[in-house]
């Protein structure tokens, strides 16, 4: 819950930072445009006096356009912040619902674990890993079981072979008239 909230806060902070940077860039560009325009105006001011009235009028229009542009930029920023706030609220609610669902599932798993202790390890449930009893990946466990079965089959085959050898030695000893068979070497 705290991790999810921290992650959501990080997302919001990153988005807010990106918005702030975008707005700063827009304002810097507007400022540069204004400065460039002012430089042009200053250069044009050296022209004849009859053009000064036209330039003053153009300058007023430009300033008005800059005000309108700044107003729209602030409005966009406000809209983006409100949208981010709505997103944070939605994600927080979703996170809360998921945490509640997680807790419900853990409770159900605990009940199953107490009812069938050979199926699910209670320690695994408490730690949040919920691995089967015996631990490990079921595919890996299956491979281990197959390997153990193969080893058991090899041992049984070796035992059968050894018993067959013993019987053959006993039969050969009985046929040759010997009273006892030699003891086999054990490894």
């Amino acid at each position: 819950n705290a991790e999810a909230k921290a992650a959501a806060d990080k997302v919001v902070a990153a988005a807010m930072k990106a918005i702030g940077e975008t707005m700063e860039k827009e304002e810097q560009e507007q400022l540069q445009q204004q400065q460039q325009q002012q430089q042009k105006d200053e250069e044009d001011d050296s022209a004849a006096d009859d053009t000064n009235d036209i330039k003053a009028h153009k300058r007023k229009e430009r300033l008005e356009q800059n005000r309108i542009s700044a107003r729209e930029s602030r409005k966009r920023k406000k809209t983006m912040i409100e949208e981010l706030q709505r997103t944070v609220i939605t994600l927080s609610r979703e996170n809360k619902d998921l945490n509640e669902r997680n807790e419900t599932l853990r409770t159900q798993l605990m009940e199953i674990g107490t009812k069938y202790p050979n199926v699910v390890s209670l320690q695994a449930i408490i730690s949040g890993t919920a691995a089967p009893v015996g631990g490990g990946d079921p595919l890996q466990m299956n491979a281990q079981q197959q390997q153990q079965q193969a080893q058991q089959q090899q041992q049984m085959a070796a035992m059968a072979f050894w018993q067959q050898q013993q019987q053959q030695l006993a039969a050969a000893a009985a046929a040759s008239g010997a009273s006892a068979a030699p003891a086999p070497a054990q490894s």
Side-chain angles (χ1 to χ4, degrees):
N1 187 12
E3 292 175 358
K5 186 174 182 177
D9 289 344
K10 286 182 182 179
V11 169
V12 170
M16 296 294 279
K17 183 177 178 183
I19 291 170
E21 291 173 357
T22 303
M23 294 304 199
E24 285 179 19
K25 285 181 182 179
E26 287 179 3
E27 290 174 1
Q28 287 176 356
E29 289 173 2
Q30 289 174 359
L31 203 73
Q32 287 176 350
Q33 288 175 356
Q34 286 176 354
Q35 289 173 351
Q36 289 173 356
Q37 196 60 39
Q38 286 175 356
Q39 287 176 353
K40 286 180 184 179
D41 289 345
E42 289 172 3
E43 291 171 3
D44 292 340
D45 286 343
S46 62
D49 289 336
D50 55 357
T51 59
N52 286 337
D53 292 336
I54 297 171
K55 289 180 182 181
H57 179 68
K58 285 184 178 180
R59 186 170 189 272
K60 286 181 181 180
E61 286 179 358
R62 218 177 19 258
L63 291 175
E64 182 62 28
Q65 288 175 350
N66 286 341
R67 285 187 202 104
I68 292 170
S69 177
R71 187 179 315 124
E72 289 173 356
S73 177
R74 287 189 298 271
K75 188 176 181 179
R76 282 193 308 269
K77 182 177 180 181
K78 182 180 177 184
T79 303
M80 290 175 76
I81 289 172
E82 289 171 351
E83 185 177 326
L84 283 173
Q85 288 173 340
R86 284 191 298 272
T87 303
V88 166
I89 291 169
T90 303
L91 290 174
S92 295
R93 286 179 183 156
E94 185 178 335
N95 188 28
K96 180 183 175 196
D97 293 342
L98 289 173
N99 282 330
E100 289 173 358
R101 178 72 177 142
N102 187 19
E103 190 59 36
T104 302
L105 291 173
R106 279 183 188 258
T107 304
Q108 291 174 354
L109 193 56
M110 285 288 288
E111 291 171 3
I112 291 171
T114 55
K115 193 172 186 179
Y116 303 103
N118 292 335
V119 176
V120 179
S121 166
L122 289 178
Q123 183 64 29
I125 294 170
I126 292 170
S127 68
T129 57
V133 172
D137 182 16
L139 295 176
Q140 186 179 10
M141 288 177 50
N142 191 19
Q144 289 174 349
Q145 289 172 348
Q146 288 176 354
Q147 186 179 12
Q148 288 175 350
Q149 287 176 351
Q151 287 175 352
Q152 288 174 353
Q153 288 174 351
Q154 287 175 349
Q155 289 174 354
M156 289 175 59
M159 291 279 289
F161 176 76
W162 185 77
Q163 287 176 350
Q164 186 181 19
Q165 291 294 322
Q166 286 293 323
Q167 290 173 354
Q168 287 177 355
L169 284 174
S176 68
S179 61
Q186 294 183 0
S187 54

